[in-house]
Amino acid sequence: MQNNKLDNIKIVLLRTFHPGNIGSAARAMKTMGLNRLVLVNPREFPSDEATKMATSADDVLKNALIVDDLADAIGDCSLVIASTARSRGYDLPILEPEKAARLLTQSACNPTKPQTVALVFGPERTGLINQDLEYATHRVTIPTSPDYSSLNLAAAVQTLSYEIWKARQDQSKRDEATRQLPDAEAMDRFYRHLEITLKETGFINKKHPGEIMKKLKRLFTRAQMDETELNIMRGILSSVERFK
Ligand code: SAH
Protein backbone atom coordinates (compact mmCIF):
# COMPACT_ATOMS: atom_id res chain seq x y z
CA MET A 1 0.00 0.00 0.00
CA GLN A 2 3.04 2.27 -0.01
CA ASN A 3 2.19 4.02 -3.29
CA ASN A 4 1.34 7.35 -1.75
CA LYS A 5 3.50 9.43 0.55
CA LEU A 6 0.61 10.03 2.96
CA ASP A 7 0.37 6.27 3.52
CA ASN A 8 2.76 6.72 6.42
CA ILE A 9 0.05 8.62 8.30
CA LYS A 10 -2.33 6.40 10.26
CA ILE A 11 -5.72 7.72 11.22
CA VAL A 12 -6.65 5.86 14.39
CA LEU A 13 -10.25 5.79 15.63
CA LEU A 14 -10.72 4.55 19.16
CA ARG A 15 -13.75 2.56 20.35
CA THR A 16 -16.04 4.25 17.81
CA PHE A 17 -19.70 3.85 18.78
CA HIS A 18 -21.56 4.68 15.53
CA PRO A 19 -20.40 2.67 12.50
CA GLY A 20 -21.74 5.49 10.29
CA ASN A 21 -19.03 7.73 11.73
CA ILE A 22 -16.38 5.22 10.65
CA GLY A 23 -17.74 5.37 7.09
CA SER A 24 -17.88 9.18 7.10
CA ALA A 25 -14.34 9.35 8.49
CA ALA A 26 -13.12 7.05 5.70
CA ARG A 27 -14.73 9.35 3.13
CA ALA A 28 -13.21 12.41 4.80
CA MET A 29 -9.78 10.75 4.68
CA LYS A 30 -9.96 9.68 1.05
CA THR A 31 -10.92 13.14 -0.16
CA MET A 32 -7.68 14.39 1.39
CA GLY A 33 -5.39 11.65 0.08
CA LEU A 34 -5.25 9.61 3.29
CA ASN A 35 -6.08 5.91 3.26
CA ARG A 36 -4.54 4.22 6.26
CA LEU A 37 -7.35 3.69 8.73
CA VAL A 38 -6.85 1.81 12.00
CA LEU A 39 -9.83 0.93 14.18
CA VAL A 40 -9.25 0.16 17.83
CA ASN A 41 -12.05 -1.96 19.26
CA PRO A 42 -14.96 -0.51 17.24
CA ARG A 43 -18.42 -1.36 18.66
CA GLU A 44 -19.68 -2.59 15.29
CA PHE A 45 -17.51 -3.20 12.23
CA PRO A 46 -17.78 -4.19 9.42
CA SER A 47 -21.22 -2.68 9.05
CA ASP A 48 -23.63 -1.74 6.28
CA GLU A 49 -24.04 1.69 7.83
CA ALA A 50 -20.28 2.32 7.60
CA THR A 51 -20.18 1.18 3.97
CA LYS A 52 -23.18 3.38 3.15
CA MET A 53 -21.58 6.49 4.64
CA ALA A 54 -18.18 5.78 3.05
CA THR A 55 -19.69 5.74 -0.50
CA SER A 56 -16.66 5.62 -2.85
CA ALA A 57 -14.22 5.34 0.06
CA ASP A 58 -15.22 1.74 0.74
CA ASP A 59 -11.67 0.69 -0.22
CA VAL A 60 -10.41 2.60 2.84
CA LEU A 61 -12.81 0.53 4.98
CA LYS A 62 -11.79 -2.71 3.28
CA ASN A 63 -8.12 -2.02 3.99
CA ALA A 64 -8.74 -0.84 7.56
CA LEU A 65 -6.75 -2.58 10.25
CA ILE A 66 -8.71 -3.63 13.33
CA VAL A 67 -6.84 -4.04 16.61
CA ASP A 68 -7.76 -4.58 20.25
CA ASP A 69 -5.84 -1.78 21.86
CA LEU A 70 -4.15 1.49 21.12
CA ALA A 71 -0.66 0.13 21.85
CA ASP A 72 -1.00 -2.22 18.86
CA ALA A 73 -2.19 0.62 16.63
CA ILE A 74 0.70 2.98 17.32
CA GLY A 75 3.59 0.64 18.21
CA ASP A 76 5.55 1.57 15.06
CA CYS A 77 4.84 5.33 15.21
CA SER A 78 7.45 7.98 15.98
CA LEU A 79 4.81 10.65 16.51
CA VAL A 80 1.35 10.13 18.05
CA ILE A 81 -0.91 13.18 18.03
CA ALA A 82 -4.14 12.92 20.05
CA SER A 83 -7.08 14.96 18.85
CA THR A 84 -9.02 16.27 21.84
CA ALA A 85 -11.89 18.72 22.08
CA ARG A 86 -11.31 19.42 25.75
CA SER A 87 -8.11 20.32 27.53
CA ARG A 88 -7.16 16.88 28.67
CA GLY A 89 -3.60 15.65 28.79
CA TYR A 90 -2.31 18.87 30.37
CA ASP A 91 1.29 17.78 30.27
CA LEU A 92 1.29 17.16 26.53
CA PRO A 93 2.48 19.87 24.14
CA ILE A 94 -0.61 21.35 22.52
CA LEU A 95 -0.57 22.13 18.82
CA GLU A 96 -2.68 24.19 16.45
CA PRO A 97 -4.13 22.07 13.60
CA GLU A 98 -1.74 23.65 11.04
CA LYS A 99 1.30 22.89 13.19
CA ALA A 100 0.14 19.32 13.92
CA ALA A 101 -0.34 18.70 10.19
CA ARG A 102 3.10 20.09 9.42
CA LEU A 103 4.76 17.84 12.01
CA LEU A 104 2.92 14.79 10.68
CA THR A 105 3.82 15.42 7.03
CA GLN A 106 7.43 16.36 7.84
CA SER A 107 7.99 12.94 9.40
CA ALA A 108 5.74 10.87 7.15
CA CYS A 109 6.94 12.39 3.88
CA ASN A 110 10.56 12.96 4.84
CA PRO A 111 12.50 12.32 1.60
CA THR A 112 15.45 10.64 3.32
CA LYS A 113 13.90 8.98 6.37
CA PRO A 114 10.10 8.62 6.18
CA GLN A 115 8.50 7.48 9.41
CA THR A 116 5.12 6.11 10.39
CA VAL A 117 3.03 8.55 12.45
CA ALA A 118 -0.49 8.57 13.89
CA LEU A 119 -3.37 10.93 14.49
CA VAL A 120 -5.74 9.51 17.13
CA PHE A 121 -9.45 10.29 17.62
CA GLY A 122 -11.58 9.34 20.60
CA PRO A 123 -15.05 7.81 20.92
CA GLU A 124 -18.13 9.97 20.42
CA ARG A 125 -19.41 10.07 23.98
CA THR A 126 -16.36 10.28 26.18
CA GLY A 127 -13.59 11.48 23.90
CA LEU A 128 -10.08 10.26 24.71
CA ILE A 129 -9.52 9.24 28.32
CA ASN A 130 -6.30 9.83 30.27
CA GLN A 131 -5.19 6.25 29.76
CA ASP A 132 -5.34 6.74 25.96
CA LEU A 133 -3.36 9.95 26.22
CA GLU A 134 -0.44 8.14 27.85
CA TYR A 135 0.51 6.94 24.36
CA ALA A 136 0.44 10.42 22.83
CA THR A 137 3.44 12.64 22.15
CA HIS A 138 1.31 15.76 21.44
CA ARG A 139 -2.29 16.81 21.32
CA VAL A 140 -4.19 18.95 18.85
CA THR A 141 -7.41 20.89 19.38
CA ILE A 142 -9.50 22.41 16.59
CA PRO A 143 -10.46 25.93 17.66
CA THR A 144 -14.23 26.30 18.03
CA SER A 145 -16.87 28.54 19.50
CA PRO A 146 -16.48 28.61 23.29
CA ASP A 147 -20.17 27.67 23.51
CA TYR A 148 -19.74 24.27 21.91
CA SER A 149 -16.32 22.77 21.24
CA SER A 150 -17.20 19.19 20.39
CA LEU A 151 -17.21 18.41 16.65
CA ASN A 152 -18.77 15.27 15.25
CA LEU A 153 -16.02 12.64 15.01
CA ALA A 154 -15.99 12.54 11.19
CA ALA A 155 -16.05 16.36 11.03
CA ALA A 156 -12.93 16.42 13.23
CA VAL A 157 -11.29 13.84 10.95
CA GLN A 158 -12.23 15.97 7.92
CA THR A 159 -10.83 19.19 9.39
CA LEU A 160 -7.49 17.70 10.36
CA SER A 161 -7.21 15.68 7.14
CA TYR A 162 -7.67 18.91 5.20
CA GLU A 163 -4.82 20.49 7.18
CA ILE A 164 -2.65 17.46 6.38
CA TRP A 165 -3.47 17.79 2.68
CA LYS A 166 -2.56 21.48 2.69
CA ALA A 167 0.66 20.85 4.62
CA ARG A 168 1.63 18.18 2.09
CA GLN A 169 0.99 20.55 -0.84
CA ASP A 170 3.19 23.22 0.79
CA GLN A 171 5.89 20.67 1.47
CA SER A 172 5.87 19.48 -2.17
CA LYS A 173 6.17 23.08 -3.37
CA ARG A 174 9.15 23.63 -1.05
CA ASP A 175 10.80 20.39 -2.26
CA GLU A 176 10.30 21.56 -5.83
CA ALA A 177 11.83 24.97 -5.07
CA THR A 178 14.96 23.42 -3.56
CA ARG A 179 15.54 21.03 -6.46
CA GLN A 180 19.06 21.56 -7.82
CA LEU A 181 18.86 22.18 -11.54
CA PRO A 182 21.97 21.53 -13.64
CA ASP A 183 23.72 24.53 -15.21
CA ALA A 184 23.97 25.11 -18.98
CA GLU A 185 27.46 23.58 -19.18
CA ALA A 186 26.32 20.36 -17.54
CA MET A 187 23.38 20.15 -19.96
CA ASP A 188 25.74 20.77 -22.85
CA ARG A 189 28.04 17.94 -21.71
CA PHE A 190 24.99 15.69 -21.50
CA TYR A 191 23.85 16.59 -25.04
CA ARG A 192 27.33 15.89 -26.42
CA HIS A 193 27.43 12.57 -24.58
CA LEU A 194 23.95 11.74 -25.92
CA GLU A 195 24.90 12.61 -29.50
CA ILE A 196 28.10 10.55 -29.41
CA THR A 197 26.27 7.54 -27.99
CA LEU A 198 23.40 7.79 -30.47
CA LYS A 199 25.87 8.01 -33.35
CA GLU A 200 27.68 4.95 -32.06
CA THR A 201 24.48 2.94 -31.80
CA GLY A 202 23.49 4.07 -35.30
CA PHE A 203 20.32 5.81 -34.12
CA ILE A 204 21.63 9.11 -35.51
CA ASN A 205 22.85 8.56 -39.06
CA LYS A 206 23.83 10.64 -42.01
CA LYS A 207 20.28 10.93 -43.36
CA HIS A 208 19.06 13.21 -40.58
CA PRO A 209 22.10 14.45 -38.69
CA GLY A 210 20.90 17.57 -36.87
CA GLU A 211 17.16 17.03 -36.62
CA ILE A 212 17.06 14.36 -33.92
CA MET A 213 19.36 16.26 -31.56
CA LYS A 214 17.27 19.42 -31.97
CA LYS A 215 14.13 17.50 -31.06
CA LEU A 216 15.78 15.76 -28.14
CA LYS A 217 17.06 19.07 -26.76
CA ARG A 218 13.54 20.45 -26.89
CA LEU A 219 12.29 17.36 -25.07
CA PHE A 220 14.89 17.58 -22.28
CA THR A 221 14.37 21.32 -21.86
CA ARG A 222 10.69 20.65 -21.29
CA ALA A 223 11.47 17.88 -18.79
CA GLN A 224 13.57 20.23 -16.57
CA MET A 225 15.69 17.43 -15.16
CA ASP A 226 17.34 18.04 -11.81
CA GLU A 227 20.97 17.09 -11.11
CA THR A 228 20.10 13.62 -9.85
CA GLU A 229 18.01 12.89 -12.92
CA LEU A 230 20.76 14.19 -15.20
CA ASN A 231 23.24 11.85 -13.50
CA ILE A 232 20.87 8.94 -14.12
CA MET A 233 20.72 9.85 -17.82
CA ARG A 234 24.54 10.06 -18.01
CA GLY A 235 24.71 6.68 -16.28
CA ILE A 236 22.33 5.16 -18.84
CA LEU A 237 24.50 6.48 -21.70
CA SER A 238 27.63 5.06 -20.09
CA SER A 239 25.94 1.69 -19.68
CA VAL A 240 25.02 1.72 -23.40
CA GLU A 241 28.68 2.44 -24.25
CA ARG A 242 29.88 -0.42 -22.07
CA PHE A 243 27.34 -2.77 -23.64
CA LYS A 244 28.66 -2.55 -27.22
N1 SAH B 1 -17.77 14.35 24.02
C1 SAH B 1 -16.39 14.25 23.72
C2 SAH B 1 -16.15 14.59 22.27
C3 SAH B 1 -16.09 13.43 21.45
S1 SAH B 1 -16.13 13.82 19.76
C4 SAH B 1 -15.58 15.20 24.55
O1 SAH B 1 -16.13 16.14 25.02
O2 SAH B 1 -14.38 15.00 24.63
C5 SAH B 1 -15.17 12.50 19.11
C6 SAH B 1 -13.74 12.84 18.81
O3 SAH B 1 -13.68 13.85 17.82
C7 SAH B 1 -12.92 13.37 19.97
O4 SAH B 1 -12.46 12.37 20.83
C8 SAH B 1 -11.79 14.05 19.24
O5 SAH B 1 -10.83 13.09 18.83
C9 SAH B 1 -12.49 14.63 18.01
N2 SAH B 1 -12.88 16.03 18.22
C10 SAH B 1 -14.11 16.55 18.39
N3 SAH B 1 -14.06 17.89 18.55
C11 SAH B 1 -12.75 18.22 18.47
C12 SAH B 1 -12.04 19.47 18.56
N4 SAH B 1 -12.64 20.63 18.77
N5 SAH B 1 -10.68 19.42 18.42
C13 SAH B 1 -10.04 18.26 18.23
N6 SAH B 1 -10.66 17.08 18.16
C14 SAH B 1 -12.00 17.05 18.27
Side-chain angles (χ1 to χ4, degrees):
M1 241 204 340
Q2 298 295 320
N3 59 348
N4 163 344
K5 299 218 169 157
L6 293 178
D7 285 349
N8 290 330
I9 302 181
K10 290 180 177 178
I11 299 294
V12 181
L13 305 187
L14 241 80
R15 305 183 295 276
T16 310
F17 190 84
H18 295 293
N21 274 337
I22 299 178
S24 299
R27 181 175 184 174
M29 287 169 60
K30 189 166 178 179
T31 57
M32 298 296 143
L34 293 158
N35 54 39
R36 201 153 162 202
L37 177 63
V38 184
L39 304 172
V40 180
N41 229 342
R43 185 180 62 86
E44 186 191 331
F45 191 83
S47 124
D48 289 346
E49 186 61 15
T51 307
K52 203 169 85 192
M53 295 307 281
T55 59
S56 295
D58 53 343
D59 56 322
V60 176
L61 294 183
K62 255 185 239 125
N63 292 325
L65 183 69
I66 304 168
V67 296
D68 284 335
D69 53 65
L70 183 54
D72 294 331
I74 51 90
D76 59 347
C77 296
S78 57
L79 191 66
V80 179
I81 303 187
S83 178
T84 63
R86 285 184 276 157
S87 44
R88 295 183 176 122
Y90 287 116
D91 45 353
L92 289 170
I94 174 159
L95 304 170
E96 300 273 309
E98 293 84 355
K99 174 78 181 152
R102 228 176 306 134
L103 271 188
L104 289 167
T105 53
Q106 269 163 6
S107 294
C109 312
N110 186 305
T112 48
K113 199 166 172 271
Q115 290 182 309
T116 304
V117 296
L119 181 58
V120 181
F121 295 85
E124 296 88 334
R125 287 184 196 164
T126 59
L128 293 168
I129 56 173
N130 284 338
Q131 211 181 328
D132 303 322
L133 291 166
E134 279 169 22
Y135 293 98
T137 54
H138 301 76
R139 72 181 177 88
V140 59
T141 296
I142 301 162
T144 57
S145 155
D147 298 337
Y148 192 22
S149 66
S150 175
L151 275 75
N152 161 267
L153 170 61
V157 172
Q158 182 78 72
T159 306
L160 294 178
S161 297
Y162 176 55
E163 291 299 339
I164 291 172
W165 172 259
K166 282 197 298 180
R168 177 64 193 138
Q169 301 307 304
D170 289 347
Q171 192 187 28
S172 303
K173 273 186 224 143
R174 275 197 309 277
D175 290 352
E176 186 62 23
T178 55
R179 240 164 43 111
Q180 287 289 329
L181 297 181
D183 59 24
E185 278 179 12
M187 284 309 289
D188 205 50
R189 279 196 298 277
F190 163 65
Y191 290 136
R192 267 184 281 136
H193 193 172
L194 182 63
E195 190 168 8
I196 290 168
T197 311
L198 295 183
K199 277 181 177 157
E200 281 176 12
T201 63
F203 187 79
I204 293 183
N205 57 38
K206 289 194 186 90
K207 279 189 215 137
H208 43 72
E211 267 318 291
I212 294 272
M213 275 318 292
K214 243 189 258 162
K215 286 193 172 129
L216 287 175
K217 277 184 192 175
R218 266 207 300 275
L219 168 69
F220 284 111
T221 306
R222 254 196 341 261
Q224 278 228 316
M225 290 187 291
D226 63 23
E227 282 182 348
T228 313
E229 290 159 344
L230 182 68
N231 284 337
I232 294 172
M233 290 308 298
R234 296 289 301 260
I236 291 174
L237 295 178
S238 300
S239 78
V240 171
E241 282 167 347
R242 280 196 299 276
F243 187 68
K244 59 185 186 213

